[in-house]
Amino acid sequence: MKTIATAVLADDEPALLDHLSRRLSELWPELHVVAQVNNGIAAATAITEHAPTVAFLDIKMPGLTGLEVAKGIESDTRVVFVTAYDQYALDAFESEAVDYLVKPVDAQRLARTVERLRRAIAAAAPPPELARLLASLTRDPAAANQPAQRLRWIRASRGNSVFHVPIHEVLYFQSDDGYTAVHTAEGEHLIRTPLAELAEGLDAEVFWQIHRSTIVNMAHVKATRRDESGRLQVQLGASGIELVVARAYSPRFRQM
């Protein structure tokens, strides 16, 4: 039985979303669009619910950006970024063989993208690895030559007290309803610094992002395993804590 290709379309511009939907129906009539959404949170929810064959993600959306949505994808969903980004980003897309469309979406470019997707799906080719691309696009290229200012401790609250937490004691950081939770062997602390901003002050060789909402201290990782559904998980030291690794980041663990 032939597998039906499915798609999630996400863009906060209604006219572009409608245009993309109509053009796809002409170029790829057998594609079944399972959801059209206008923000990143709805896109992440739709992708988790439907595990579509492909997701067309606008880069700049409210809630979560297209890059942040892509970081959390657990399925084999292929991603096509819809972007108004500058040449730096477009070069990054090209280097990682990731499909992208530049606004306003050109009909010929969309046709080429559809053709590449159809060939890859028919050949059962694995999706491109996104981790390196996502890391490069969320890094400020203008700051590349600036000396890194690494965090040595975190000032975080727990209850009515404020603690000075040495950075090496942190097991992992996790976004939590507008805050970032700082998890240590002593318990959970809260800070207001967004995870993306926090990452800029961390040693990237030690603190690995494993999900759009999670950064783990690799010094505390003792093992990895795959659960019953095939998802990679990291196990943290004596705590027994297990954290899910999003598919975009799992290739890095194969190189360990």
Side-chain angles (χ1 to χ4, degrees), residues 159-183:
N160 294 323
S161 300
V162 176
F163 293 80
H164 287 231
V165 181
I167 198 68
H168 68 271
E169 292 184 5
V170 176
L171 302 177
Y172 64 100
F173 298 98
Q174 196 161 53
S175 296
D176 184 14
D177 193 25
Y179 292 84
T180 295
V182 182
H183 293 268

Side-chain angles (χ1 to χ4, degrees), residues 72-161:
I73 293 177
E74 302 287 344
S75 59
D76 286 326
T77 299
R78 296 173 183 277
V79 174
V80 177
F81 291 109
V82 184
T83 177
Y85 264 30
D86 59 18
Q87 193 58 46
Y88 164 74
L90 300 186
D91 289 344
F93 286 132
E94 294 284 5
S95 69
E96 301 298 329
V98 172
D99 278 301
Y100 67 90
L101 300 169
V102 177
K103 294 183 178 182
V105 175
D106 176 75
Q108 291 185 341
R109 172 71 188 191
L110 179 59
R112 290 197 299 272
T113 295
V114 166
E115 183 56 32
R116 281 198 301 270
L117 287 169
R118 295 174 76 166
R119 285 200 305 267
I121 293 166
E129 295 178 358
L130 290 176
R132 184 167 52 187
L133 168 72
L134 296 172
S136 69
L137 289 177
T138 52
R139 189 184 304 122
D140 181 2
N145 297 322
Q146 299 296 319
Q149 299 296 317
R150 301 300 181 201
L151 291 171
R152 298 178 62 184
W153 50 267
I154 297 287
R155 190 169 182 268
S157 61
R158 188 172 72 202
N160 294 323
S161 300

Side-chain angles (χ1 to χ4, degrees), residues 39-76:
N39 65 78
I41 294 173
T45 300
I47 291 170
T48 299
E49 179 180 351
H50 299 287
T53 312
V54 60
F56 290 81
L57 301 178
D58 182 18
I59 294 288
K60 294 184 178 180
M61 292 186 290
L64 294 170
T65 68
L67 300 178
E68 290 169 329
V69 173
K71 287 179 182 180
I73 293 177
E74 302 287 344
S75 59
D76 286 326

